[in-house]
Amino acid sequence: MGIFGLYTLGWPYVLDAYVLFMVCLGTVIGIVVGTLPGLTTTMSVAVMTPLTFTMSPQAAFALLMGTYCGAQYGCAISAVLVNIPGTPAGLMTILDGYPMAQRGEAGRALGLSIWGSFIGGIVGIAVLGFFAPPIAEFALRFGSQEYFGVMVFGLSVIVYVSYGSMIKGLFSGLLGILLGCIGFDPVTAYPRYYFGSVDLMGGLELIPMMIGCFGVAELLSIAEKKMSLPKAIYKITIRSLFPTLVEFIKLIPTLIRSSLIGLFIGILPAAGGTIASIVAYGVEKRCSKNPERFGHGAPEGVTAAETANNSSTGGAMIPFLTLGIPGDAVTAVLIGALLIHGLQPGPMLFQNNPEVVSSMFILLALSNFLFVIFGIVWANGFARLINVSYGIMVPTIMTLCVVGSYAIRNSFFDIGVLGFFGILGFLMKKVEMSPAPMVLGFILGPMIENNLRRGLISSFGDFSTFFTRPLSALFLSLTLLVLVSPYIVQLFTGRKMERIVETD
Amino acid sequence: MGKADITVGVLMLALCGFAFSQALQFPGSESVVGGLGPAFFPLFVITGMAILGLVVLIRGLVTMAKPKAADLSLGMLRTPALLLCIVAAYVMLMGLTGFSVSTPLFLIGVMLIWRVQWTKAALVGLGLTLILYIFFQKVLRIPLPSGILFGG
């Protein structure tokens, strides 16, 4: 694929009435779900995945990419209006967005987050389109040993950025790997941990597990807290959503800095929008002439957080598409979606289905334009959604979870899997153990085992092969560094390193 | 986390013990020439899990003296447990009567328990069922359960 292939190859597939309808539908659904307080981006994409089952890959990703982008923006609405972050990245939007809304500038804050998200998103997609094909090309030369190294590294970073204690995060990741062992073993086809059940022999189904962990578990938490929300009573005029020319020019440096920060952080495997928005916010505060305004409704704060958050989404796509490593919970869900369409993410995807990769990039860009349009035209309608009571929201989404899990292979057994992981995910959150590493471990585990065992067969059982091949050795050393560094920092400074709080 | 950590640590170790005893029955590495058998990887992962479980347990025992408010209690699980029971009943009913009868009952039932207005609950319950039915069955052509009482 040439440099511009990523931008051009997919157009014939995208310019189709059905696909275009799906991307519009996805964007609206995403904004709606993102706006509803307590519902996360990951959850919205996970719940939508089974619906794409019978669609073409392009239509499926139109719906999912639209949902992804829409939900990213929708979270800003609940952050600004009622002080509740839909996603972890929303934490930084709250800091200045909510004070602005209280000052009667809700429209202005929303406008800034729309335009910041849009510019960040477009920059991310445009620049990273250049990087993805060469990285994929390079990764084609990877053998089992290199894949083993990269995947172990991916898993370690994911554990690091999940909330709660790192020990529990690691346990959660390993538990996922163990769950991935259920069913036929990849080399000898010996059935493991199937307990005499035919349904378990082929392994656990990924989608019901994910919907359980990210959907049902979340709904149970909402039911427990019986969230009663402050009513949002702000009236938003369409005019207020457009910043003035003077204001926009003043924000240009912020936009550039935050886009670049988001971009850079997004490329790192597993370091997604949350870290990007935190870093961008911090940098902006330091660059500002009057940093004391930050936290009391500074427009730069909202812009920086939203811009960096969205420019990192293009970046997070890179390890996901080129290496097949999920960067965060959302890309893990997207891997599940690719798999149900018979597509294996990784460098071969660029070789075998370049049109699919390209249409994903185009659809991502398209949904960036769409959420701006819908976000502006229906701003008041979306804002009113916040007042929907949990009594309607919870059963509605629960129905979608149940029906979606059933629909994957018309199986009531999968509804059981959904329930099991719903309860497990809920209880894990109660004891400060994030379920996200478990899902990622479940995806990566079988790949890690497969590459480990194939690597060993090709080296005739010699383990040193993983440490003597340079790239594999590099990634394994990085893994060690990631896992040990917080403790070393603690040892030298006598202070605990602050960890990123991730709520989904 | 104090006490909760002890419970969690014990549960983690119990899980490891169970998975370990199962994995011992898998064929070992002698079954594959120059490679690893089906038992190696699970055993390796379980060992890691057991070490982590032990760390959590020990940390729980050490910090037990200073309990925090965040410990688990059964009282706060009442609403989620109720919701789960209703969902389980819904799924069982779906097996009997099919999607289109059980879904509105479930939706309207939960909404009424949570004091949503009668009219609103009925409207959302019936409307959503209809939308989902059309979307899955007609647009996506994914069959929904028709139940053993009414369909085949």
Side-chain angles (χ1 to χ4, degrees):
Chain A
M1 188 186 322
I3 290 182
F4 293 106
L6 211 50
Y7 303 116
T8 53
L9 277 175
W11 281 107
Y13 298 89
V14 173
L15 293 177
D16 171 273
Y18 187 55
V19 174
L20 290 176
F21 172 70
M22 280 302 161
V23 70
C24 292
L25 184 69
T27 310
V28 174
I29 292 176
I31 304 181
V32 169
V33 178
T35 307
L36 295 171
L39 306 187
T40 62
T41 311
T42 317
M43 174 196 220
S44 58
V45 181
V47 173
M48 295 309 283
T49 303
L51 303 185
T52 67
F53 196 46
T54 53
M55 297 178 188
S56 69
Q58 277 77 21
F61 280 95
L63 191 67
L64 296 179
M65 291 296 180
T67 309
Y68 184 16
C69 277
Q72 290 280 51
Y73 164 64
C75 293
I77 301 181
S78 60
V80 168
L81 297 186
V82 285
N83 205 16
I84 293 174
T87 54
L91 281 175
M92 305 318 277
T93 310
I94 280 185
L95 292 180
D96 287 292
Y98 189 59
M100 280 179 82
Q102 283 181 314
R103 238 177 16 214
E105 294 181 328
R108 188 166 162 229
L110 278 182
L112 288 174
S113 61
I114 290 180
W115 295 107
S117 300
F118 171 71
I119 291 169
I122 292 298
V123 169
I125 294 159
V127 176
L128 286 157
F130 282 100
F131 287 116
I135 294 176
E137 197 116 319
F138 181 66
L140 271 179
R141 279 176 269 162
F142 280 17
S144 300
Q145 290 86 343
E146 282 75 21
Y147 267 112
F148 176 76
V150 171
M151 280 161 180
V152 171
F153 174 65
L155 197 62
S156 70
V157 184
I158 292 153
V159 167
Y160 185 61
V161 296
S162 63
Y163 70 83
S165 90
M166 189 152 107
I167 302 281
K168 287 179 185 166
L170 259 176
F171 185 87
S172 166
L174 287 177
L175 179 63
I177 297 182
L178 189 66
L179 289 168
C181 289
I182 292 175
F184 296 117
D185 118 74
V187 177
T188 63
Y190 178 86
R192 296 183 292 199
Y193 295 118
Y194 72 107
F195 307 110
S197 150
V198 183
D199 289 297
L200 279 179
M201 232 178 208
L204 281 171
E205 194 72 25
L206 171 65
I207 307 280
M209 176 192 181
M210 276 177 349
I211 304 180
C213 283
F214 298 129
V216 174
E218 212 69 50
L219 292 176
L220 292 177
S221 306
I222 296 175
E224 182 200 339
K225 285 176 212 136
K226 291 197 176 174
M227 280 202 204
S228 55
L229 301 166
K231 294 268 181 243
I233 36 154
Y234 304 105
K235 186 96 187 94
I236 298 157
T237 57
I238 291 186
R239 241 192 106 90
S240 68
L241 291 172
F242 290 90
T244 59
L245 192 64
V246 182
E247 188 177 16
F248 184 76
I249 291 171
K250 259 199 249 166
L251 284 173
I252 285 178
T254 308
L255 287 167
I256 295 174
R257 273 193 297 262
S258 308
S259 296
L260 292 178
I261 291 169
L263 206 59
F264 178 72
I265 291 177
I267 299 174
L268 303 174
T274 314
I275 305 178
S277 62
I278 292 172
V279 174
Y281 187 88
V283 167
E284 220 39 58
K285 193 172 177 181
R286 214 155 288 162
C287 289
S288 170
K289 283 185 196 109
N290 20 12
E292 71 283 352
R293 283 187 315 127
F294 279 73
H296 302 284
E300 300 95 307
V302 177
T303 314
E306 287 292 313
T307 309
N309 177 27
N310 263 42
S311 72
S312 74
T313 55
M317 289 294 182
I318 297 298
F320 156 54
L321 284 175
T322 60
L323 302 172
I325 295 180
D328 50 14
V330 178
T331 40
V333 176
L334 289 175
I335 284 191
L338 273 176
L339 292 176
I340 63 169
H341 289 282
L343 301 163
Q344 179 76 50
M348 289 311 283
L349 192 63
F350 282 73
Q351 292 281 305
N352 299 338
N353 303 84
E355 77 290 350
V356 172
V357 184
S358 167
S359 27
M360 283 174 82
F361 263 77
I362 295 169
L363 288 166
L364 198 59
L366 209 56
S367 33
N368 266 292
F369 280 95
L370 286 172
F371 81 69
V372 172
I373 298 171
F374 294 141
I376 288 174
V377 176
W378 291 331
N380 269 312
F382 290 129
R384 221 169 294 144
L385 276 174
I386 291 182
N387 300 339
V388 168
S389 81
Y390 71 92
I392 293 177
M393 192 168 82
V394 172
T396 303
I397 295 175
M398 191 64 94
T399 308
L400 274 174
C401 292
V402 171
V403 175
S405 303
Y406 171 84
I408 294 289
R409 45 178 196 184
N410 297 336
S411 139
F412 275 98
F413 179 80
D414 286 343
I415 301 183
V417 173
L418 170 88
F420 178 80
F421 283 101
I423 298 171
L424 186 66
F426 173 72
L427 292 178
M428 282 169 79
K429 273 160 41 132
K430 278 258 156 290
V431 298
E432 291 179 347
M433 190 189 279
S434 162
M438 180 172 76
V439 175
L440 297 157
F442 181 75
I443 294 172
L444 288 174
M447 300 192 217
I448 292 177
E449 179 179 17
N450 206 356
N451 284 303
L452 172 74
R453 291 173 66 178
R454 277 203 310 216
L456 277 177
I457 287 174
S458 67
S459 75
F460 303 103
D462 181 9
F463 273 98
S464 66
T465 176
F466 295 102
F467 305 100
T468 48
R469 303 203 14 166
L471 267 176
S472 151
L474 173 74
F475 280 109
L476 288 177
S477 341
L478 282 175
T479 306
L480 200 65
L481 194 72
V482 166
L483 292 181
V484 177
S485 59
Y487 297 105
I488 296 180
V489 171
Q490 198 182 338
L491 202 67
F492 279 101
T493 59
R495 213 177 59 177
K496 262 198 166 172
M497 215 162 104
E498 256 179 62
R499 302 201 330 114
I500 311 302
V501 180
E502 191 119 19
T503 55
D504 67 343
Chain B
M1 286 288 279
K3 267 188 203 147
D5 261 358
I6 300 176
T7 320
V8 174
V10 170
L11 283 174
M12 284 160 116
L13 289 173
L15 176 73
C16 292
F18 174 69
F20 194 83
S21 67
Q22 290 282 319
L24 284 179
Q25 294 159 23
F26 302 158
S29 293
E30 67 287 346
S31 62
V32 186
V33 181
L36 300 166
F40 176 84
F41 193 67
L43 286 177
F44 180 74
V45 173
I46 294 165
T47 311
M49 287 164 71
I51 295 171
L52 296 168
L54 214 57
V55 173
V56 171
L57 180 63
I58 292 171
R59 209 172 45 182
L61 288 171
V62 170
T63 56
M64 192 172 63
K66 32 182 176 174
K68 283 187 191 170
D71 279 351
L72 272 177
S73 76
L74 288 176
M76 63 188 187
L77 299 178
R78 202 175 297 143
T79 319
L82 175 71
L83 180 63
L84 274 172
C85 289
I86 300 175
V87 174
Y90 164 48
V91 174
M92 273 188 264
L93 191 67
M94 184 149 63
L96 279 177
T97 66
F99 171 83
S100 27
V101 175
S102 58
T103 305
L105 287 177
F106 164 73
L107 285 169
I108 297 172
V110 176
M111 283 187 239
L112 288 183
I113 289 175
W114 280 339
R115 297 200 187 91
V116 177
Q117 270 172 6
W118 231 111
T119 42
K120 226 188 222 175
L123 203 69
V124 175
L126 294 172
L128 190 76
T129 310
L130 192 69
I131 292 172
L132 283 178
Y133 183 81
I134 293 173
F135 197 63
F136 272 92
Q137 207 90 20
K138 303 293 171 204
V139 180
L140 301 172
R141 297 184 187 286
I142 298 173
L144 293 168
S146 53
I148 48 173
L149 289 183
F150 301 111

